[in-house]
Structures are given as C-alpha cells and as structure tokens.
Amino acid sequence: MASHRRSAQPGQTRSAKVTVLSAAAVTAAAALGAVPASADPQDTPEPTRAGVDRLFEEAEKATERFNQADERADQLRAQVDRAQDRLARGQERINRMRGALGAVAGAQYRSGGIDPALVLLLTADPDDYLDKAAVLDRITARQTGQLQELREEQRRLGQQRTEAGCTLAELERSRAAVARHKRTVERKLAEARRLLNALPDGEREEFDRASRSGRDGVLPPLSDSPAASARGLAALMAARQAIGKPYVWGSTGPSGFDCSGLMVWSYRQAGVGLPRTSQAQRYAGRQVPLSEARPGDLVTYRSDASHVGMYAGNGQVIHAPYPGAAVRYDPVGMMPGATVTRV
C-alpha cells in the first residue's frame, strides 16, 4: 500500500528547519518584550501627590469606620453596665423573697403535723382558733402569690442574663472591629508618609506648604451672610478657635481633631450634641442646597460622606483635612459630592 506521508526533498529539509527556528525566535523575542522587567502585582507605584492624597483619603474613611465602631462600643459598654446593675438588683429581690418564703415555710413545718379538725376539737377557744385559721388561710394565699411572683422574677432575671450575654458578645465584636480599623488607619498613614517622603523635593515642599495653610494665625473676617441659627454661629466661632490645631485621627479635641471630631467639638460648645461620624452627621439636620449654605452648616463630601467640614461663608469651609495638616480654611468645592446639612 502506498504511504500518504510526503517525504521532504533533500534540498528543502535544512531551509525548513531554519525557517521554523527563526519564527520561534521572533515569537519568543516579542513575548519577552511584552513582559515587564518585574511582573509582581505588588510592585510599589511611582510616588506621586495623587498617590499620597489617595492614601490619606483611604485612611480618613478607615478613621470614620473606627469612630463608628468606637462609638458603638461605648454604647454597648453603657448597656452592659446598666444590665449588670439590673441583674444585681434583681438577684437581691429574689434573695429577699426566698428568705421571706423560707421563714413562713419553716414556721408551718414546726407547727404542722396535726389535723386541723382535731386541733379545733381540742382547743379551749374555738372562736379564737377559727380566727387564727382564717388568718392562716390569708397567709397561705399570700404565700402562694409570693411564690408565683418569685417564679416570675426568676424568669425575668434569666431573660435579662441572656440579653446581657448577647450584649457582651456584641461588645467583644465591636472591640475587635475597633482594633481592626485602627490597624487599617495606621497602615494607610504609614504608607502615605512613606510615599510623601519619597516625593521629589519640590513636590514634597509644595505639599507641605499646602498642609501648613491657615496656620499663620491670621483669621479671615467673618462672612457678611448671617448664620442659619444662634447655635450655628456659636459652633462656627468655636471652629475658628480650632484653626491651626493638628489633625489627630479618632480625636474630638480640644488639642487635635479629625474631620467629624471637629464638628462634634464645635457644636458641643454651642450646647448641641452631634453624632460621632461624618456619615451620621450628614443626616443630623435638614439638608439644603449648596447654593443656600449659611455659616455654621455642615458640609459633607463624597458619595459615602467620609469627610465633613463647616461652612464659614464666603465660599469657604473650616475643616481638619488629613494627618500632618492643621485645621484650616479651604474652598467649599474642594471635594466632590458636597451635601449641606443645617443643624
């Protein structure tokens, strides 16, 4: 049978091999040229001001998550304290009820064992006995009621213990969240400082100048537009006093502030309690258009409300920008997604 395999001509064998090898070499070279010198996805990007800003923004978001978890932990600690106080008082009531019931039961035991009809037959004063029997019936009925009350109190105490246990478990989870967010903030800030230190001298100096703005001690005049309320004006005056104080993440002052902490402290001086986080502060009052902002209004930024400042009039806000920067004035349009809240 004839073979279907075509034999290569002697003159073609070497040239075909050269052609194949040449094509393979070209393909390999192209492939090598397409692969960067280091394909590690964890390679550090070239340090830029945008990279530093991004890390500061991420640290600020983590700071607000830390503030939220820390606020929740404080609330849970207060709940646990109240629950433990209720449990102690409930146990004390149960102990008193048990003591009273035990005393009655002991007296009945000591005087028991004789049939009531026989006692009535043998008594010298039947009327007196019947009076005592009626009293005893009333005592027995009251004792039954006290026993029922004791059981109900024990049931309530058991439920309170269960609820307190759940609150304690949530407190432990909240504490873990606080620690986790704290580590995230510290890591982001360390990365930002490393990138900042790696910037070229000119860019780093420009960044530092921007960070120091507002620290010269000269405050701009108050806006001609009136504040929305007396408390808004009082909060604005307090915020002006904080100009030049450092950004300290997780702090509500008075020596340093994060962005939402500055709002909490300023409004506290006006006798108003604000939520701890910028996300909650966005809904701490009535929202108004940016065009209608008045001094003392809160201005939150970005879609997630991860930054907040206070409108100061003249198109400016007072805010705590980021670590390394002091509380200062900046244009109200410095970030996207501005939302105005009137407290």
Side-chain angles (χ1 to χ4, degrees):
M1 180 180 290
S3 172
H4 292 285
R5 181 181 300 169
R6 179 177 296 177
S7 299
Q9 297 298 322
Q12 295 176 338
T13 303
R14 181 173 179 82
S15 62
K17 287 182 179 180
V18 170
T19 302
V20 170
L21 289 174
S22 299
V26 169
T27 303
L32 288 173
V35 177
S38 173
D40 186 356
Q42 301 301 320
D43 274 358
T44 303
E46 187 71 20
T48 62
R49 288 188 58 183
V52 176
D53 287 336
R54 177 183 57 79
L55 285 167
F56 277 142
E57 179 181 335
E58 291 174 359
E60 186 168 47
K61 292 179 179 181
T63 297
E64 290 303 297
R65 290 192 292 270
F66 167 86
N67 290 337
Q68 184 177 30
D70 195 45
E71 182 180 40
R72 181 58 180 159
D74 288 341
Q75 294 169 351
L76 290 170
R77 275 190 287 268
Q79 289 180 20
V80 168
D81 289 343
R82 290 193 296 270
Q84 289 175 337
D85 185 57
R86 286 196 302 270
L87 288 172
R89 286 186 278 110
Q91 188 62 58
E92 187 178 349
R93 283 195 303 273
I94 286 176
N95 292 342
R96 287 198 304 268
M97 293 166 71
R98 280 175 172 165
L101 287 168
V104 173
Q108 289 178 338
Y109 175 79
R110 287 190 297 272
S111 63
I114 302 177
D115 187 272
L118 181 58
V119 174
L120 178 60
L121 180 64
L122 296 177
T123 185
D125 189 347
D127 291 335
D128 180 62
Y129 173 79
L130 290 173
D131 290 340
K132 291 179 179 178
V135 172
L136 183 60
D137 285 341
R138 288 196 297 273
I139 291 175
T140 302
R142 187 174 65 184
Q143 183 181 5
T144 301
Q146 288 175 338
L147 183 59
Q148 183 63 33
E149 186 181 352
L150 173 61
R151 288 171 178 163
E152 182 64 22
E153 190 68 24
Q154 287 175 322
R155 186 194 65 78
R156 281 197 298 267
L157 190 65
Q159 184 177 352
Q160 289 174 356
R161 283 200 176 102
T162 300
E163 292 172 354
C166 292
T167 305
L168 276 170
E170 187 180 353
L171 175 58
E172 290 306 313
R173 289 193 296 272
S174 189
R175 284 173 174 163
V178 168
R180 185 173 63 253
H181 294 316
K182 180 179 180 180
R183 289 193 297 270
T184 300
V185 173
E186 291 172 339
R187 185 177 69 252
K188 294 293 183 183
L189 292 181
E191 292 175 7
R193 282 191 291 269
R194 180 181 56 77
L195 273 187
L196 187 59
N197 291 335
L199 287 175
D201 291 344
E203 287 192 48
R204 187 168 63 250
E205 290 171 3
E206 184 180 352
F207 198 96
D208 289 340
R209 279 195 300 273
S211 300
R212 288 194 298 269
S213 67
R215 299 183 67 175
D216 54 7
V218 179
L219 298 181
L222 286 172
S223 170
D224 292 336
S225 59
S229 65
R231 60 178 177 268
L233 178 59
L236 175 60
M237 298 303 293
R240 281 169 60 90
Q241 294 174 20
I243 294 290
K245 293 187 177 179
Y247 182 106
V248 178
W249 72 270
S251 176
T252 57
S255 57
F257 308 90
D258 61 25
C259 68
S260 56
L262 176 61
M263 303 302 106
V264 168
W265 180 84
S266 299
Y267 264 94
R268 187 185 298 150
Q269 311 316 302
V272 178
L274 285 184
R276 178 62 184 90
T277 64
S278 56
Q279 289 86 356
Q281 288 172 7
R282 171 175 278 182
Y283 302 104
R286 179 170 60 92
Q287 294 192 357
V288 298
L290 180 59
S291 60
E292 298 177 14
R294 304 276 286 276
D297 289 344
L298 303 179
V299 185
T300 51
Y301 293 94
R302 309 186 187 113
S303 59
D304 59 358
S306 55
H307 189 77
V308 63
M310 183 181 297
Y311 189 68
N314 300 323
Q316 292 186 308
V317 292
I318 298 175
H319 70 134
Y322 48 79
V327 175
R328 70 190 190 200
Y329 285 89
D330 270 318
V332 69
M334 62 181 176
M335 295 180 189
T339 301
V340 180
T341 301
R342 184 159 297 157
V343 179

